[in-house]
Each structure stands twice: as structure tokens, then as C-alpha cells.
Amino acid sequence: MAEMDLCSMYLTELEALFAAWSEPKFRAKQVFSWLSRGARPCEMTNLPRALRERLETLTFGSAVLYDKRISQKDGTAKHLFELEDKNLVEGVLMRYRYGNTLCISTQVGCKMGCAFCASTLEGCVRNLTAGEMLGFLSAVERDEGRGEGHGRAVTNVVLMGSGEPLDNYDNVVRFLRLVSDKDGKNISPRNISLSTCGLVPEIYRFIEEAPHVTLSVSLHAPNDALRDKLMPINRRYPVAALLEAANAYALKTGRRVVFEYALIGGLNDGRIHADELSDRVRGINCHVNLIPLNPVPERGLEGVTRERAEAFAAWLSRRGVSATVRREMGTDIEGACGQLRRRVLKEITAEAETQGKGAGQ
Ligand code: SAH
């Protein structure tokens, strides 16, 4: 096995490593439990010092909190995490009555090229490891002062941040197994959602191999002519093939698939689109989640009013398709994918330039 980051390892892999190091097996469980709480080896107080030191020689592979903005409107917290190679990635903690949902990123940037999204503007820098994704959770729990005995700061996880999760398939499946492990974070797959722009072959693989989480499919258009314009991936996997894969997921897992539909003013928000959409998805065990587009200045597309979104939902419901309008959260703190990272990167670059010119502190 190529050397793996400590935070990405399964319990069984830690056990194999500790067997090779002639350490007793129970130590692996201790370490796994510490890691799931975000502890570094030096903090693992119930381990012998020699073992802590040996663990320090491995790559840790986690993430630390770099910046945080809290919405004055709804308490949503947007986090920026720093990885060991200094890359920055986003996460958002949304507070609901039933618990807190952490939205995490799966890649630094994204290469899918969707026309409305900020994450993809500079392409994909690299995939995140499973340990880094877990690290976001631990960092948020520590920041919230919880994670140990005082209830959970994070009850639900959505893979809906920057990046395309199924384009980072192996690490994402590893993350899902780790985060739902009973000896680790123990978050039930029922409380996890994964959102994809529609990598059809990976959806079929995912059905067979991964924990049965809720699958969200970013549809955004009811036909190929429109979807081709918004999402380049559609030219490879058109709407019909994507809907078939989504239906297969719903049938195999018994779980309702969610279709995400960002309403873009004057483009996909008409009655005609609602009718076509309902005709295409009606036979699938699904729910349509309508999101008024969060306009990204660089992209030149418009959102819709709340009233328009409600009307679109009503058109779908009348034709037998369950639909709701997503509550917009954190719009005052650059909640749209990739926006905060871009802002902070710009600030850092601007600062570096000023310092370079000798004008800064
Ligand atoms: N790559 C995955 C997950 C990341 S994005 C996917 O495509 O599903 C999570 C959701 O936010 C997707 O449905 C995406 O299409 C949507 N999204 C991206 N930019 C948006 C914006 N500016 N306004 C509203 N939704 C947006």
C-alpha cells in the first residue's frame, strides 16, 4: 500500500499498520477514535510516548480552520479551511431546528465548468483526501466547543461544496465509509447527501459500492438543448441517461432522489420548463429542490424572486411532482459555492502585491 495520510485510514488499515509495528491491536481503535475527533498524535494522551512519536513521522493529512464568517441574518457560518499544502477550501455550517448541517467541499476548485458556478472559474487544483474532508468536520466541532460528550455540533453532512464528488470517487467513498463508521464519527448515511452534476457511470458504481446516502442530482434544465448550455457534462451524459441512472439509484436504495434546479431568470424558470420537467421526472421516486440562483457577478446570470420560485414549485406540484423552494441561507456571507474562497484569495493576492511594492506593513 502506498503510504497514506493518517486521517484517511480505515480502522482495519490502522490495525494492519500496528501489527507491522508490533503494537497491540486495541491501540488502533484508540487512535482511530482520537483521529475522528481531530486530535493530533501529541494529544493522544492514552498512548505510550514512543507510539505518539512514531505516529508523528507519518503525514497527518487534515485541515485547520483559517477563517470564519457568520451570517447576521440566520447564523449560518461559512468556514475557510487551510490544508497542509496551504490550499484553501470552503465549508458552510447551516443551523436548523433539528440539527446542524455541514456542507463540505470535495475538491480544491472544480473542472466541470457549469455556467453559473464560482467554484469552477479557475479549474480544479486537486482532489481532497478523505482525511481532509473528515478534518473539516473535526475542525468545526472543535470550533463549536463540542464533539466530546456535549452533543454533536454536526448532525448532517452534505457533499455540496466546491468540486464534483464523483470526479473524486475513491476519496469520497472512503470518506463516506469513515464518517459513518460506528467507531468513528458514526453519522448515519441517512443523514448524508451527495450532490453530483451527473457523472452517469460513477452513479452506477456508487449504487453498488457506497453507503446508501441521499443522492442529489443537479439537473437545472429539463432538456438537452438548455442543459448543454449550462452544464458541459451534459454533452457527455445527456438528460435521459442521467434520469435513468437517478431512477436506478432510487429503485436500488429505496431512497428518494433529489433533483436540484437552480432557477435562472428568463432562462429555465418558465411555465413551459416546469411542464417539461414534471413530464420527465414524474415516474421517478423524487423530490425537486428549487434554488433561486445565487448570482455570481463574473457569470452574468440572474436569479428569480421568491414569488417566481414558489410559482414554479406550484406548477410542478399540480402536475404530481413534489417540489419545494430551498431556504436561502448565508446570502450575506457569500454562501454560493466558491465565492468566499475567491474573495479571500483575491484579498491575499492584493495584500501580497501591496507588500511587494513596499506599501504595506
Ligand atoms: N458538483 C456537485 C456539487 C457541488 S454544488 C454538483 O454539481 O451537484 C452544489 C449545488 O449548488 C449544485 O446543485 C450546483 O449546481 C449549485 N450551484 C452552484 N452555483 C450556484 C449558484 N450560483 N446559485 C445556486 N446554485 C448553485
Side-chain angles (χ1 to χ4, degrees), residues 1-14 32 35 61 104 106 128-134 159 165-166 168-181 185 192 194 205-206 209-211 213:
M1 181 175 74
E3 197 194 298
M4 190 183 287
D5 297 346
L6 198 51
C7 291
S8 294
M9 289 171 98
Y10 293 136
L11 177 57
T12 49
E13 291 165 343
L14 280 172
F32 189 73
L35 290 172
I104 70 177
T106 53
L128 296 182
T129 65
E132 286 168 334
M133 294 181 242
L134 267 187
L159 297 181
L166 296 184
N168 181 15
Y169 186 92
D170 290 339
N171 291 324
V172 162
V173 170
R174 177 175 278 273
F175 166 74
L176 292 175
R177 291 193 186 127
L178 281 172
V179 80
S180 55
D181 192 314
K185 289 256 172 254
I192 304 176
L194 176 144
R205 251 185 95 188
F206 196 73
E209 299 172 354
V213 300

Side-chain angles (χ1 to χ4, degrees), residues 116-266:
F116 41 81
C117 185
S119 305
T120 196
L121 286 166
E122 270 119 40
C124 178
V125 178
R126 72 167 173 86
N127 285 332
L128 296 182
T129 65
E132 286 168 334
M133 294 181 242
L134 267 187
F136 304 155
L137 245 133
S138 317
V140 167
E141 287 193 320
R142 287 189 152 203
D143 183 56
E144 297 269 315
R146 290 198 254 174
E148 251 180 284
H150 308 289
R152 286 178 166 183
V154 178
T155 50
N156 298 62
V157 170
V158 294
L159 297 181
M160 292 191 187
S162 297
E164 167 49 43
L166 296 184
D167 184 43
N168 181 15
Y169 186 92
D170 290 339
N171 291 324
V172 162
V173 170
R174 177 175 278 273
F175 166 74
L176 292 175
R177 291 193 186 127
L178 281 172
V179 80
S180 55
D181 192 314
K182 300 227 168 0
D183 292 312
K185 289 256 172 254
N186 193 18
I187 294 182
S188 159
R190 303 204 144 269
N191 296 339
I192 304 176
S193 291
L194 176 144
S195 179
T196 178
C197 66
L199 301 185
V200 168
E202 282 76 12
I203 294 177
Y204 285 107
R205 251 185 95 188
F206 196 73
I207 293 175
E208 300 302 329
E209 299 172 354
H212 287 169
V213 300
T214 299
L215 183 70
S216 287
V217 174
S218 299
L219 199 55
H220 305 323
N223 59 56
D224 289 329
L226 195 51
R227 200 165 187 271
D228 276 352
K229 282 197 207 132
L230 291 174
M231 305 177 71
I233 192 69
N234 197 69
R235 290 175 218 141
R236 190 139 36 114
Y237 306 116
V239 174
L242 178 56
L243 294 179
E244 210 174 300
N247 190 35
Y249 193 87
L251 290 175
K252 186 71 188 262
T253 61
R255 313 209 55 184
R256 197 160 74 154
V257 167
V258 175
F259 291 116
E260 288 159 283
Y261 195 99
L263 288 160
I264 309 173

Side-chain angles (χ1 to χ4, degrees), residues 68-86:
K68 182 168 86 168
R69 316 229 159 150
I70 297 179
S71 164
Q72 298 306 311
K73 282 200 227 153
D74 52 34
T76 298
K78 183 116 200 187
H79 302 92
L80 207 55
F81 301 101
E82 189 182 56
L83 309 176
E84 286 173 4
D85 63 3
K86 304 291 173 206

Side-chain angles (χ1 to χ4, degrees), residues 51-65:
L51 179 55
R52 276 184 265 157
E53 281 169 3
R54 196 157 187 193
L55 288 171
E56 290 281 5
T57 64
L58 302 178
T59 317
F60 191 61
S62 188
V64 293
L65 199 54

